[in-house]
Amino acid sequence: MEKQNRKEFLLAGLSLAAIATYFFKGGKPPEKKKTIKFLAQDGRLVEIDADKLPGTKKVATKADVQNWIKK
């Protein structure tokens, strides 16, 4: 059996520590909220959270749209 040098030993140890940390933290990145892109009347592209949009077909007022726009 070959003797490992210090560099290989440290690399293996760091890799093992990184993998163990990944699994102990849950292994899943946080979920992103789904956003929908709209073009505003002034020509800007805005993103709106999908959960803030009404499920029924209703005409949005100007105040509703201004409250939904992410800054």
Side-chain angles (χ1 to χ4, degrees), residues 12-47:
L14 287 174
S15 299
L16 183 62
I19 291 170
T21 303
Y22 176 76
F23 283 111
F24 284 121
K25 285 189 175 183
K28 290 192 290 185
E31 293 183 21
K32 289 186 176 181
K33 290 187 176 182
K34 183 174 176 157
T35 59
I36 300 174
K37 293 182 181 181
F38 286 98
L39 190 62
Q41 287 181 346
D42 60 355
R44 293 182 301 139
L45 188 63
V46 295
E47 289 186 20

Side-chain angles (χ1 to χ4, degrees), residues 24-71:
F24 284 121
K25 285 189 175 183
K28 290 192 290 185
E31 293 183 21
K32 289 186 176 181
K33 290 187 176 182
K34 183 174 176 157
T35 59
I36 300 174
K37 293 182 181 181
F38 286 98
L39 190 62
Q41 287 181 346
D42 60 355
R44 293 182 301 139
L45 188 63
V46 295
E47 289 186 20
I48 300 174
D49 288 335
D51 59 347
K52 292 187 179 180
L53 293 173
T56 60
K57 292 184 179 185
K58 172 183 134 183
V59 176
T61 64
K62 191 173 184 177
D64 289 338
V65 174
Q66 289 175 348
N67 290 333
W68 292 336
I69 294 175
K70 285 186 169 183
K71 294 183 180 186

